[in-house]
Amino acid sequence: MDVAGAAHVRHPMRWLSVLALAVLAAQLGHFLFTNTNFEWATVGSYFGAEVIGQGIATTIELTVVAMLIGIVGGVLVAVGRMSENRVLSAVCGAYVWFFRGIPVLVQLVFWYNLSALLPRISFGVPFGPEFLSGQTNSLITPLLAAILGLGLNEAAYMAEIVRGGLLGVDQGQTEAAAALGMGKTRILRRVVLPQAMRFIVPPTGSQVINMMKATSLVSVIALADLLYTVQSIYNRTFETIPLLIVACLWYLVMTSVLYVGQSFIERYYARGATRHAQQGFWDFALFRRRAAGPAASAPTGEPTPEKEETP
């Protein structure tokens, strides 16, 4: 085939789309810098305020505690759903069905108003003596109600993520470990879970980011997270838009940090997979395309055997 007169394929629609995006970006920049209603000076004054920092600390605390409950509970519920005990499997399935079927906001409001259903909470032997008891209003604080609502709901979603990861491990791995005399618990801890982490970590990272954003729902139960702190300020100063911009900027900062951390964790658990090439920090931050992974070949340091010539 003669390629002497070959020419590059032209893509006029690409240039038109770039031009349209450039016009829209210029219009957006003009809108941001010329509209005085944004009050960027007010945004700058509140961005590093101490009261905003306290709200951020509450948001991070809620995210960490709720995700710990969700991850631990999700692993237990996932293992229960895959159990050969039909009663345990049914109970765990009902848990996932119940908490995934009710919106998080409804669950938060329900836990916050639990005293209307149970004015008093006690711990002890069922139908027997009580060891500890107290008023529900004093036990279920807004913080505890938020942790229960977010954590129990997250456990239902994490259970499905973990179960999908466990099912992604080849059954032959379990059979081989059982043939070596390993018990079921040890097989799960030493063989199945380490291999399932590659399938569990990416969606778990997304769940952490979603959890951080979902903490804004606790403002309805008067818990002083980032959004509630911002609302309490603009209810006094009537500077609604600047304070909401402050909240948006801080949420973007926190989720961006989590997003970068997720990329490094995924890179760690994807090691050994030839289809995943290593990606540096700046490659990720600048949205550079991931290079193609190395093809499966001889181990590093050993020469690739040459093909023998046919006589």
Side-chain angles (χ1 to χ4, degrees):
M1 180 181 296
D2 186 11
V3 295
H8 292 288
V9 179
R10 301 183 183 277
H11 300 281
M13 294 304 298
R14 291 183 182 179
W15 292 104
L16 289 177
S17 61
V18 170
L19 179 61
L21 291 175
V23 172
L24 292 175
Q27 187 175 7
L28 177 61
H30 181 268
F31 172 70
L32 291 175
F33 290 103
T34 60
N35 193 332
T36 57
N37 293 325
F38 283 109
E39 302 181 28
W40 293 110
T42 305
V43 173
S45 63
Y46 280 107
F47 187 78
E50 182 179 356
V51 64
I52 299 295
Q54 295 174 356
I56 293 172
T58 303
T59 296
I60 296 175
E61 178 184 358
L62 275 177
T63 303
V64 172
V65 176
M67 281 307 304
L68 286 177
I69 295 175
I71 291 173
V72 175
V75 172
L76 296 177
V77 174
V79 174
R81 286 203 67 184
M82 300 176 65
S83 173
E84 297 178 357
N85 188 330
R86 293 185 178 181
V87 176
L88 179 60
S89 178
V91 171
C92 292
Y95 176 91
V96 174
W97 165 78
F98 181 81
F99 281 96
R100 291 183 67 185
I102 301 176
V104 183
L105 183 60
V106 178
Q107 296 182 41
L108 291 172
V109 176
F110 180 86
W111 285 108
Y112 184 68
N113 294 281
L114 187 62
S115 59
L117 179 65
L118 295 173
R120 183 170 171 272
I121 296 179
S122 61
F123 299 93
V125 180
F127 307 103
E130 298 178 356
F131 302 134
L132 296 173
S133 63
Q135 297 297 320
T136 304
N137 279 331
S138 59
L139 294 176
I140 307 296
T141 61
L143 179 61
L144 183 58
I147 291 174
L148 290 174
L150 296 174
L152 296 179
N153 179 79
E154 185 61 28
Y157 285 90
M158 284 301 304
E160 292 300 287
I161 292 174
V162 173
R163 187 170 70 93
L166 296 178
L167 293 176
V169 179
D170 186 25
Q171 183 65 23
Q173 301 288 326
T174 303
E175 295 174 355
L180 294 175
M182 298 176 65
K184 292 184 178 181
T185 304
R186 192 175 183 184
I187 292 174
L188 176 66
R189 190 178 71 255
R190 294 290 185 88
V191 178
V192 178
L193 270 180
Q195 298 184 65
M197 291 300 291
R198 183 177 299 174
F199 309 104
I200 296 174
V201 169
T204 301
S206 299
Q207 287 298 113
V208 174
I209 295 174
N210 290 331
M211 174 60 69
M212 177 160 284
K213 294 185 293 185
T215 56
S216 60
L217 297 175
V218 303
S219 60
V220 300
I221 59 175
L223 183 61
D225 70 319
L226 176 57
L227 180 59
Y228 184 83
T229 303
V230 165
Q231 289 175 333
S232 63
I233 295 174
Y234 71 63
N235 285 335
R236 298 193 309 267
T237 63
F238 301 101
E239 297 170 325
T240 306
I241 296 300
L243 269 302
L244 288 177
I245 292 175
V246 170
C248 292
L249 292 177
W250 272 115
Y251 278 120
L252 284 173
V253 169
M254 291 186 291
T255 54
S256 298
V257 172
L258 292 176
Y259 190 56
V260 174
Q262 178 189 359
S263 70
F264 284 108
I265 295 175
E266 289 181 11
R267 179 184 176 187
Y268 173 79
Y269 282 104
R271 67 192 190 279
T274 57
R275 65 179 182 273
H276 296 293
Q278 292 187 355
Q279 186 180 31
F281 172 76
W282 291 113
D283 294 331
F284 173 82
L286 299 177
F287 300 99
R288 294 174 181 168
R289 184 175 299 179
R290 187 187 296 270
S297 59
T300 304
E302 298 181 5
T304 304
E306 299 180 358
K307 296 182 179 178
E308 297 181 356
E309 296 182 359
T310 305

